[in-house]
Amino acid sequence: MTEEQQSAVRPAASTGRWGPPPALTGFVVLLLAMFALAYGVGSAAGPVAPGMRSTVGDAGPAEPGGGMGGMNGGMGGMNGGAR
């Protein structure tokens, strides 16, 4: 009798195929949905930084000198310690 009861409870049969856990699938779907939502909101809002504009059709940099503003020689006194 005990053998019949033990054999009635069998482990789940494996199909031989691997599948991702449902929690992982749900997480990936949620991640993709959040990315799509954020992209849509960002596209609708447009550029938010001051002076930011599209690069489509620009002939060159926005500022003379390569667009690096006041970054020319800011560390002028640093020449290796030799004077």
Side-chain angles (χ1 to χ4, degrees), residues 1-82:
M1 245 314 224
T2 23
E3 289 180 25
E4 290 177 22
Q5 290 175 350
Q6 289 177 351
S7 64
V9 179
R10 287 183 274 165
S14 70
T15 60
R17 290 178 35 183
W18 179 86
L24 178 63
T25 304
F27 175 73
V28 169
V29 168
L30 180 65
L31 189 66
L32 289 174
M34 293 298 293
F35 176 77
L37 179 69
Y39 184 80
V41 169
S43 293
V48 293
M52 190 174 193
R53 56 186 171 175
S54 175
T55 58
V56 177
D58 278 351
E63 298 177 18
M68 290 300 287
M71 298 293 289
N72 299 332
M75 302 288 279
M78 298 193 61
N79 57 4

